[in-house]
Structure formats: C-alpha cells, structure tokens
Amino acid sequence: MQYQRSSNLFKEAQKVIPGGVNSPVRAFKSVGGTPIFVERAQGAYLFDADGNKLIDYISSWGPMILGHAYPPVIEALKQRADKGTSFGMPTALETEIANLALEMVPNMDKIRFVNSGTEACMSAVRLARGASGREKIIKFAGCYHGHSDAFLIQAGSGAVTFGSPSSPGVTQGTAKDTLLAPYNNIEAVKTLFAEYPDQIAAIIIEPVAGNMGCIPPQDGFLESLRKLCDQYNAYFIFDEVMTGFRLAKGGAQELLGIKADIVTFGKVIGGGLPVGAFAASNEIMSYLAPDGPVYQAGTLSGNPLAMAAGLAMLKALDQDEGIFERLADKTKRLHIGIDSVLSDSGLPYQINRLGSMISVHFTDQAVTDFETAAHGNNNFFKNYFHGMLKQGIYLPPSAFESYFLNDALSVDDIDQTIEALNLIVKKI
Ligand code: KE4
C-alpha cells in the first residue's frame, strides 16, 4: 500500500490548518508517519485518498456503530436537507429524538442537545456546580471528557492535592477546582471527600474508560463511587460520550446497573453529525436556563440535520434487538484471535475488552488505570499499528485509545484482521 496522495494532502493541510488536522489525535503524532486522508467510507471500510481499502476499527471514534454511510441515516439527511439546514428556532424533530433517547436511557427525565461531547461534559459540570453551589469536581487521571479547561488537568504533586493544568492556557485558578484520583482507586476518592467534605459538586467519570485504551471499572468501584456521592451529597456524572448507545441501549447505566445523576452523550447520538447531549432528572434540569439560573446555550444546538441523523441512528438501534450482543460477539472473536497470535509471540501484552470496546497494551502488567496504561511499550505499539496499516487494517493511532467495532464488520473482516496480525507479529 502506498500513501503518496495522503502525504501530499497532509503537506497542503499543514500550510493552513494547525498540524494539518482539526483534531490532534488524527495527526499520528504518537505512532509517527503520515496521517491517512480518507476519501469516502462505506460499511466497515474506509477508502483513502490513494485508493486503499482499509478495514476500520475506529468508526470515527465511535459514532459509526452501524457502519459508514448507513443508508437510513443518509436517507434521513437527504430528506431533511431540502427543508433548510438551521433555523435557530425549536423544531418538533428535537422533541422526537429527545423522547426516543429518554425511552432508551434509564433513569433520566430531560435531555439538552449540544454540539459535541466536550460541550455536553462542560455543561454537565456547570449544571452540577450550579445546582449544588459547590465548586470542586473529581475526575480520574486518564479519563478524557473533552477539551474544556476544567478537564485539561493532570495529577498534581502529592496524592490528594488538586491537579495542575495539563495544557498552557488553562489557569491555576481553574486547576484548583479539579481534583484527581487514579481510575479504579476508591481509597483516593475517599481521601478527597474527607479532605473537601462539602466542596465537591460532582464526580465525573467514564464508566468504562476508553481514553487510556479500554479500561473497565473493577468490581465494586462504581458502586462505591455512587455511595460516596450519596454520602457527601455530590452529583455522580457518567460521561457516556463513548459508552452511550454503544454498550447497551441504555449505555453503561443499563449494562452495569448503576444509576448516575447526570449522563452525557456524544458520538453515536448524532449518527456522525455534531451532536452532544446531557440528561438528568427533572429536579436537576430545573436549574438549567431558561427554566433556571444555570446558563447554557448554542446557535446550532438541536440542528435539524444533526437531529435527523441522530434520530435515524437511535431508531435503528432501538429496533434492532440483537445489535449489542452481535457487536460484543464480534469483539470477543477479535479478542480471541489477537490473543491466539500474541500468545505465541513472546511479546508482553494485555487485552482489555468490554462490549464492543477493546484495546491491546504491550505490557506484562494488568492495565487498570492511567499509570499502568502508560507502562505499555510504545515502540511495540507503533510497529503493531503500522504493520497492521500496511495490511489494510486501520486501528486507533494511539495506544491510549479504544477500538470501536461497528456492525458492518463481517466475521471474514475480523478473521482477515487476525491473519494480518499473524503476518506482521514477528516485526513488532
Ligand atoms: P468531543 O468534544 O470530541 O465530541 O467529545 C469529547 C469526549 C468526551 N468524553 C469522552 C469519553 C470522549 O471519548 C470524548 C472524545 N473522544 C475522543 C477519542 N478518544 C475523540 C477523538 C478526538 O479527540 O479527535
């Protein structure tokens, strides 16, 4: 496979777009090489600028759960476009998708649509702070909730001090209100609550982490966080931008049997168009403008094209009883296949999986949090990524990402992926 046109396109893009991309992970910084420019996609396949056909395991980082260019979504967009693309006025379509989403997701009464997962998480934290009158939040090292200042915080020095900015431009004033704990470490969270018993507005967590690779919660972890939130009157925010409408119809709340107070969505809910959302009880949502004092707004929030795509996607998922089991089965097949190849390779590796989220880590330690995820051998990962790419398999270009399987992937595609690994494993 050659990537000459992608290489040329990347050079052109770099002249006018920072880093040549509109989101950093696309730039292949952590795996090196030239990012692949895609021409089009169909089902499980990407067709890049050089005409290469690639089996896609990122599904646009989650949204394309039913495969690319899913016909009902495309048809819904075509139908809707002729009616106009944006009004800045309410439409019945927003109520229709809101009703369906709230039927699918347990335990929520109202939902507000926004334009990205970042916006959903940023708004959810503001809502929790406004409703509680408290200022601090707890997040977990390695969890990503979008690029809002409050989340771009890394573990500060010392176990329980507040975090420090992980990006220039984020102020110490912001950082002091974001407390960090290691994922799967309930003792660290107990210590934070003991240190700041009446100052913590919320815990925000990826109920199944996908931004350190895939890291499932250990038994009892989420239940213990739920109890701590109840004990200290803090809100429990599930960031389901990745897991929502992917792990189950009702997302991680349904699959793991845990009730959150506020849930955020993105990715799948928009059918590939820019949609985020956050949902909560009537009581919590009563604080949100225009009913209440917590301000949040957006010119393109509830955009009719995005709502049409999201509604078509949610309808398809709602009506397909077997979708989530099929995705989990395909992911299990991939897991077994990768395991069978790597087990004979002499390489240190871990495979984490839950539902249709999976990741491979080149380390001999169990990967249960950011620190253990960071022990992965990135050289092995680079060779793995590029070796598989040469075989026509497009994996996430970072060891700190989850794979996202889609329903268009066939058993043959998965078997071809395993065969590709078999062919390149000696070069890792
Ligand atoms: P967006 O603002 O990118 O729509 O969503 C932010 C976000 C929030 N919460 C979780 C759990 C997320 O995974 C994300 C975004 N995910 C990344 C992939 N790790 C998006 C890819 C990118 O940044 O380009």
Side-chain angles (χ1 to χ4, degrees), residues 23 25 61 116-118 144-146 206 211 239 241-242 267 401:
S23 198
V25 74
W61 300 103
S116 69
T118 294
Y144 178 68
H145 306 293
E206 293 179 55
N211 287 286
D239 174 352
V241 168
M242 274 190 182
K267 299 179 192 279
E401 297 288 354

Side-chain angles (χ1 to χ4, degrees), residues 322-336:
I323 173 71
F324 300 105
E325 196 179 340
R326 282 201 308 275
L327 282 168
D329 289 346
K330 289 176 182 175
T331 311
K332 184 177 177 185
R333 186 182 185 95
L334 182 67
H335 184 152
I336 292 167

